[in-house]
Amino acid sequence: MPNYVLNIRRFSPESGEPAHWEKFEVEMEGHRPVLDAILHARNTEDGSIGIRCSCQAAICGSCGVRINGNPALACNTLLRDAVATAKDGATIDIEPMGNMPVIKDLIVDMDAVHWKKVQRVVPWLIPAGEPPEREYVVPHEAMVDVTQTMACIHCGVCVSDCLSMEVDPEFVGPAAHAKAYRFVGDPRDAATETRLRDLAEDPHGLYDCTHCFKCVEVCPKGVSPMNQIMRLRRRATGDFKIKDANNGYRHEKAFVSIIEKWGTLHEAKLLPDSYGEGIFGKLNPEAQKQLIASAPTAVRGVLSGKVPPLKVIHHHKLPDQKKIKDIYKKIHGRDDRIELNLYIVGEDADALAAESAPAEAAATAADGGES
Amino acid sequence: MTVGIISKIHPVRSHSNAAQGGINAALNPDDSWESHAYDTVKGSDYLGDQDAIAVMCSEAPEEILHLEHLGVTFHRNEEGLLGTRAFGGASAARTYYVADITGQAILHVLYEQMLKYDDKIDRYEEWFTVALAIDENGRCNGAVMRNIRDGVIELFRAKTVILATGGSGQIYKPTTNALVCTADGQAMAYRAGAALMDMEMIQYHPTTLLGNGLLITEGARGEGAHLYNAAGERFMEKYAPNKLELASRDVVSRAEQTEINEGRGFPDGSVHLDVTVVPKKRIHEALREIVMVGRDFAGIDITKDPIPIRPGQHYIMGGIKTDVDGLTDIPGLYAAGEVACVSVHGGNRLGANSLLDTLIFGKRSGHHAAGVAKSMNMPKISAKQVDDVRDEINAIMARSASDGRRVSEIKAELGETMNDKVAVYRDEEGLNSALEVVKRLQEEAKTAYIDDRGTIFNQDVLGAIELGYMLDIAETIVMGAIERKESRGAQFRTDYPERNDEEWLKHIDIKLKDGTPTIEYSPVTITQWQPQERTY
Ligand SMILES: Cc1cc2nc3c(=O)[nH]c(=O)nc-3n(C[C@H](O)[C@H](O)[C@H](O)COP(=O)(O)OP(=O)(O)OC[C@H]3O[C@@H](n4cnc5c(N)ncnc54)[C@H](O)[C@@H]3O)c2cc1C
Ligand code: SF4
Ligand code: SF4
Ligand code: FES
């Protein structure tokens, strides 16, 4: 059986010692999860290793940690996968999640950060008046849609490495925003506009997300918090024309029209255009302030290779402009906005294929259990 | 009046999360609560109390609507009305669900409500209840807690106490139950003198993942999945020609175990659950969690490959004996949920009846307890119990490696023994040897040691306390199984393979009397459904 080396970040506030790393060797099959290895070390070597865990099935949300620097659940990360991302190719580093204070070893204070933010979004259904005698009649798709955010297990994995939260600890954050969508997307909730206005106008709300994608990438339940934030924004701007403190509404409009014109995102134009197109935008004092403030971000973008330096000053149009125009024509021609939701269409192309195969579609109807 | 909710883990981490499949209610106009009740009675192999079952099933529809109104995102049909799926042992499709995260959705919505009423409910999250506070008259007037965050021990006074501490599956290894399901409430009540009932009735779920015992929801079979042995036979045709894979859980588990024992299973000791017969879109929409379980924990794509499964410990039908208002033998003490035994599940629980049990009897307990609390003054209790608990904890922390075995080692031996000897098939010899092991482990636990001597988040010492709970309850499970000399529901005795209504249509109650577990019997309430032979 393979031998795995766990390098666990230890911290005991009572000991007076600073946080340090401690190695444990565990013999275990590679398809077993990291949590099993930690528990093995705890059961056989040192019972004082602190980690929250319960279900061992990625459903209770207890065991969020950082594995080799990346936030994940310990119970659904397999040892063989963990070792593949080890910095030295052998030692699995396990540390507490970020953006939250450490209580002991791998246990962080989620109340102080995550749950406070969840509270912030008024996390309960606010229906209009008294409930009906029977159930609320709501579209099938709407329930499937909000179930994606209902699936959040509040593990804090997305919170751990949220870029915006690192910069602005007051940011409402990915999971709490996803929770907000759970109500905004729920046709039974009557406070949609208030909720959207509240989050759009909060400088730490909807428009405080930098689209770093981290939360989408790390969420173990497919909640895609950033996508929920984007959908909240679309509803805020599209359905309620809410103009916000961070100028997000304008930003989005500018974004759309730049793409329409250029076919790709002209980063250097985006900020000034958010304050009004062309020269007026650039002269707007608020825009100037923000332009200056955003300089480090732009520099960082260039350094990390996200934005090629040439692009900042010189922007090419995408060669096939007609295609872009066609897309826009098609979108503008639609009555309803269409939301893409992975939760509905499934994860692989096969699911789509199955959907279109008539024989199987008939079987779905017969087998669906709607009897 | 105020309410305090105490939970040893954050409430949304509770094990109700794991309930994937759904919750039963006869809400469709063409269904009836009597039909639901009859299925439950039959499922229980006639050991369920029919008055309690009637209460549960008749109140179920209203409860589903209440949850829906609170915001549970129940699945809808094309008309936008609540839709159902089929479940085992049921004569109609009456299981309401949220994809395959039904328990999670309900639990989270109830937690949302708790946040909404933040000003009326005090939440003690990550507080561990160590013992009930019982006064000299034998009334329960509160409980002793340890704040896990800082190790502080406190006595909570209360006019009424409701135990809702869940199941006891960690007594078994493997189990579908979470690490926190350690029989705490059952043991605390039992130690305080309450009767436990139907303890021998341990449910083995037919479809748990071969490697680690994770549950594959019954919803998979509800959606149409098949079971195959190594020869490619759909073997349920032999055991339950009408209901096939959707027979009662005890029936399907025994069928699988028979196939495996008689050499028709796969070499790894499994049979196969084939979900590929379910349309892919439906799998992604309704069995999403199982797709992830297959991918993350078995490395397979369930839309393409069969899943190797076997029966695994899942649920305890027995528990603290209560009436339909949750009242236990101990004045002031209530119990509801998996910790309790009303008894609505009798010898075998139907899938999707447990969440219902927790909700209906949780609500009824709450109403009754509130009524009592309104009419009385806050009772006094002595602080002695705090000292007892503190002493107990200090004593555990003072033990060293030279005194005995590790707590974790004893727990593992307990789990393996129970899964070996007190499982799907049982016999006198095996049960007696299990009882011996449990008694030896009880002795060993007295000197078992831990490593952590700290106060902040000392999970090690809690593990030692939990081990004590589990050993007490394991003893009652084995005793009940030895006592019941017949086969009924989940109890199958190879030495007594028939159901024997004449002698055993009764509950086995176990109580601590002067420190000794003592067996008593109580009658089964039969109202309108006379016992019949049970076929599916
Ligand atoms: C994998 C799985 C799938 C299931 N699927 C279904 C299904 O589809 N349908 C269905 O109806 N049923 C299902 N069940 C059964 C059902 O989920 C459980 O029986 C039910 O959720 C138990 O709920 P409960 O409220 O009694 O306990 P839990 O939800 O386990 O809650 C117990 C609570 O007590 C607290 N607690 C325990 N001990 C202490 C202590 N010492 N101090 C302080 N707090 C304590 C815990 O922190 C927790 O909050 C399933 C069970 C499993 C394991
Ligand atoms: S995409 Fe937004 S919410 Fe998600 S991690 Fe990045 S900054 Fe945070
Ligand atoms: S959104 Fe995903 S990562 Fe974030 S708390 Fe919820 S489940 Fe965890
Ligand atoms: S232990 Fe429950 S999510 Fe990992």
Side-chain angles (χ1 to χ4, degrees), chain A residues 114 151-159 175 178 215 218-221 223 225:
Chain A
H114 172 74
C152 167
I153 57 174
H154 297 278
C155 60
V157 161
C158 57
V159 175
C215 55
V218 298
C219 171
K221 304 307 284 190
V223 174

Side-chain angles (χ1 to χ4, degrees), chain A residues 14 47 104 136 182 343 369, chain B residues 71 76 84 126 288 451-452 455:
Chain A
E14 295 165 86
K104 174 188 173 178
Y136 289 97
R182 175 249 173 285
Y343 209 80
Chain B
R76 307 292 157 139
T84 56
E126 304 195 313
R288 195 179 136 88
D451 301 313
D452 198 341
T455 53

Side-chain angles (χ1 to χ4, degrees), chain A residues 60 221 334:
Chain A
C60 76
K221 304 307 284 190
R334 275 217 169 91

Side-chain angles (χ1 to χ4, degrees), chain B residues 470-491:
Chain B
M470 287 190 282
L471 285 164
D472 281 6
I473 296 310
E475 184 180 10
T476 66
I477 293 170
V478 186
M479 281 177 66
I482 293 174
E483 182 69 12
R484 185 174 288 282
K485 292 178 179 54
E486 66 155 352
S487 292
R488 178 187 302 273
Q491 156 102 338

Side-chain angles (χ1 to χ4, degrees), chain A residues 35 52-64 73-76 153 155 220, chain B residues 13 17 178-179 297:
Chain A
L35 179 64
R52 286 196 189 96
C53 56
S54 181
C55 68
Q56 300 179 280
I59 189 74
C60 76
S62 299
C63 69
L73 296 178
C75 72
N76 81 343
I153 57 174
C155 60
Chain B
R13 319 253 176 253
N17 261 335
L179 293 167
F297 296 97

